[in-house]
Each structure stands twice: as C-alpha cells, then as structure tokens.
Amino acid sequence: WDNHRFSNLLLKPNYFHPHMKFIVSILTATSLALALLANPAASLKSAQADPSGSYCGSYMANMVVGTVTMNPKSSTFDITVKAFGNSESTCRSIKYVLEKSTGDVVVPDAHDSKSCLGDLLASGGLGLEVKYDSKKDIVQLDLGIAKLSLHHC
C-alpha cells in the first residue's frame, strides 16, 4: 500500500478490509485465552464445588439482610441476619453437610433450640432451608418469611 491509500483508510474508521474481520476475531480469541491463562482462578471459580468465603444478600429493600461465611475445610459457617430493622443476630461455627448432588445444605443445629442458630430461628418464628448452586456460586437461604440469594461479597 502506498502512503496515500493507507492514510485514507485511517480516516474511515468503519472500513474493514475483508481479511481484517478474521484477524480481529483471531486477536480477540487469543486475548481471551491469554487472560484466562494469566488468571486461572477466574476460569475455575465457576467450577467450584464447595461454597467458600462470604456471601451477602437482602430481601425487599433490605428488610431482611443476611451474610453467611462458609468454611468448607471445617464444614462450618457463620451467619448474620438482620430482619425488619432489628439488631443483628450472629451465630458462629455452625456445622453443616453439603449434599453435592442436590446442593442441599443440611444444618443439624437449625432445629436445636439450645444452639445459637436454633434459638435465633425459634425466637423469630423462622425456618431454615439452605441450598448451594455451584454453577452460579450462590447460597440460597429460605427463612420461611423470606428467601435470600446470597452472592460473594
């Protein structure tokens, strides 16, 4: 190409040579592959099998706010719930069992009124069902009066 033809192309940003679209596609795919190779944790996060770390969410404009911190090594979690503007309630080191095939999180202390969690649920008239969606990496809490989808926070 001579300088005159090249400078005309620079003045026309919407002009693509037929081979340019192919080259741009190759460069885009290569860039994406390099980004995933440079940060493999980003590509593996969606394949994560167990919930880990803190998950936060709310229901009806923060009328019910919840945070769950999952520790898969010890199979325990901490939970903080604030409902209807009342003070926060926190229970720590609650044992759980994750049924990986269904995503159900079984919490034996949920029905024990002598445990922190059981007492919290009973005093608030709440139930508790917990599920984990490993594809979306979301912990779902069903408290009976509200369902919260908790995302990493």
Side-chain angles (χ1 to χ4, degrees):
W1 290 21
D2 60 23
N3 286 339
H4 177 69
R5 284 182 68 193
F6 184 70
S7 65
N8 282 340
L9 289 178
L10 293 177
L11 296 175
K12 298 178 183 176
N14 292 329
Y15 175 82
F16 280 98
H17 188 274
H19 298 292
M20 273 311 261
K21 288 182 181 180
F22 176 73
I23 292 170
V24 169
S25 297
I26 297 280
L27 290 174
T28 302
T30 303
S31 297
L32 180 60
L34 288 174
L36 291 175
L37 288 173
N39 187 4
S43 60
L44 295 176
K45 186 173 182 180
S46 63
Q48 181 176 342
D50 293 338
S52 180
S54 294
Y55 296 81
C56 303
S58 64
Y59 174 77
M60 286 190 65
N62 294 333
M63 288 188 75
V64 178
V65 179
T67 302
V68 172
T69 302
M70 308 292 289
N71 184 343
K73 289 182 182 178
S74 63
S75 295
T76 62
F77 67 91
D78 299 341
I79 185 170
T80 301
V81 177
K82 183 176 182 178
F84 306 109
N86 296 330
S87 61
E88 281 187 355
S89 299
T90 300
C91 295
R92 300 192 186 288
S93 300
I94 302 162
K95 290 282 187 191
Y96 72 88
V97 176
L98 173 63
E99 299 292 338
K100 291 183 182 182
S101 62
T102 62
D104 290 338
V105 178
V106 179
V107 185
D109 283 352
H111 304 291
D112 180 1
S113 61
K114 295 177 185 172
S115 73
C116 176
L117 180 62
D119 181 50
L120 172 68
L121 295 171
S123 66
L126 303 172
L128 180 66
E129 284 186 35
V130 183
K131 282 201 166 274
Y132 176 63
D133 184 334
S134 61
K135 291 179 183 174
K136 295 179 182 177
D137 194 22
I138 294 174
V139 174
Q140 298 169 335
L141 291 181
D142 185 344
L143 299 171
I145 62 166
K147 293 182 181 180
L148 290 83
S149 290
L150 309 178
H151 302 268
H152 259 282
C153 54

